[in-house]
Amino acid sequence: QVQLVQSGAEVKKPGASVKVSCKASGYTFTGYYIHWVRQAPGQGLEWMGRIIPNSGGTNYAQKFQGRVTMTRDTSITTAYMELGSLRSDDTAVYYCARDQGLAPHYWGQGTLVTVSS
Amino acid sequence: DIQMTQSPSSLSASVGDRVTITCQASQDINNYLNWYQQKPGKAPKLLIYDASNLETGVPSRFSGSGSGTDFTFTISSLQPEDIATYYCQQYDNLPLTFGGGTKVEIK
């Protein structure tokens, strides 16, 4: 069965970077987009971007252009999302999700990133 | 970007009631619309895809309809385990965008 297992919670200072991993299993890793979606405390869902693992091609939401980098390591079927220049309003749960039919379908458990001085 | 306007933002209904949530897109999204359920502390779960198709394993009391810019999500008979926040999401164009969510509570 499709499984996405994310790395653990992080606490970062403003201005730092965070890198969240998403280990995929149960399907052909290179065949589907991985999306990244975040959710600030008590708020709705916000799409950050996606990566297609076979080529490494990415699409980012304009809001995050220049601050986010999505990568993958096909040898260990893992996708990564790195967000830099962190601010307090980047405090959120970050989800990876595997695509099906062009949209997030199977989701990881989420990774809480807290930005605090 | 395509704006998704979802309403109401919250509702309270009794067990067994019919519950309806609407989602309006700022332009035609060719029925590329998902509905997700999210329970507290959990990841979203896909319920409906392509506006009206029930995801495998999802109870038949959930349904979706609509086309173009106007969509509806219905729970035909609300159950206690349906307490959650529901989101619509379009995937016709990048960036993918979500509605603001509807929090469903039991009266």
Side-chain angles (χ1 to χ4, degrees):
Chain A
Q1 72 284 17
V2 176
Q3 263 199 313
L4 300 171
V5 178
Q6 298 183 223
S7 49
E10 303 260 14
V11 179
K12 296 292 183 181
K13 293 193 182 304
S17 296
V18 67
K19 190 171 186 177
V20 179
S21 67
C22 174
K23 167 71 175 175
S25 61
Y27 71 98
T28 302
F29 180 64
T30 51
Y32 298 86
Y33 281 99
I34 294 285
H35 299 259
W36 290 90
V37 176
R38 76 176 187 179
Q39 186 171 38
Q43 301 302 307
L45 300 165
E46 182 175 32
W47 185 81
M48 300 179 68
R50 67 181 186 179
I51 183 168
I52 183 69
N54 64 349
S55 66
T58 55
N59 302 102
Y60 300 141
Q62 187 163 7
K63 174 177 179 175
F64 300 102
Q65 286 274 4
R67 267 207 316 145
V68 70
T69 304
M70 296 177 187
T71 57
R72 89 293 187 222
D73 185 337
T74 56
S75 69
I76 56 171
T77 65
T78 300
Y80 303 92
M81 186 284 300
E82 184 169 20
L83 186 63
S85 304
L86 289 169
R87 308 183 289 256
S88 58
D89 62 357
D90 291 317
T91 293
V93 175
Y94 290 76
Y95 293 101
C96 64
R98 199 208 84 173
D99 179 271
Q100 182 149 318
L102 304 175
H105 188 120
Y106 302 95
W107 294 66
Q109 83 276 17
T111 297
L112 176 62
V113 175
T114 303
V115 183
S116 173
S117 54
Chain B
D1 298 2
I2 297 175
Q3 306 304 315
M4 304 299 293
T5 303
Q6 189 175 336
S7 62
S9 57
S10 65
L11 65 87
S12 182
S14 300
V15 173
D17 281 356
R18 184 180 186 88
V19 168
T20 299
I21 298 168
T22 64
C23 186
Q24 183 171 60
S26 59
Q27 65 187 67
D28 190 331
I29 57 170
N30 296 299
N31 291 6
Y32 288 133
L33 184 93
N34 283 340
W35 289 97
Y36 295 94
Q37 175 192 67
Q38 187 180 33
K39 296 184 177 181
K42 299 294 187 182
K45 175 186 175 183
L46 180 67
L47 300 182
I48 303 286
Y49 64 95
D50 291 348
S52 60
N53 293 302
L54 194 67
E55 173 64 7
T56 302
V58 173
S60 59
R61 64 180 180 274
F62 297 102
S63 65
S65 65
S67 63
T69 61
D70 294 300
F71 301 89
T72 300
F73 173 80
T74 300
I75 306 172
S76 60
S77 177
L78 186 67
Q79 300 301 304
E81 60 267 31
D82 300 336
I83 298 315
T85 301
Y86 294 84
Y87 294 93
C88 62
Q89 180 224 15
Q90 68 79 23
Y91 49 103
D92 184 56
N93 277 356
L94 296 181
L96 306 188
T97 47
F98 292 87
T102 297
K103 186 173 184 178
V104 174
E105 297 176 322
I106 296 285
K107 193 181 295 182

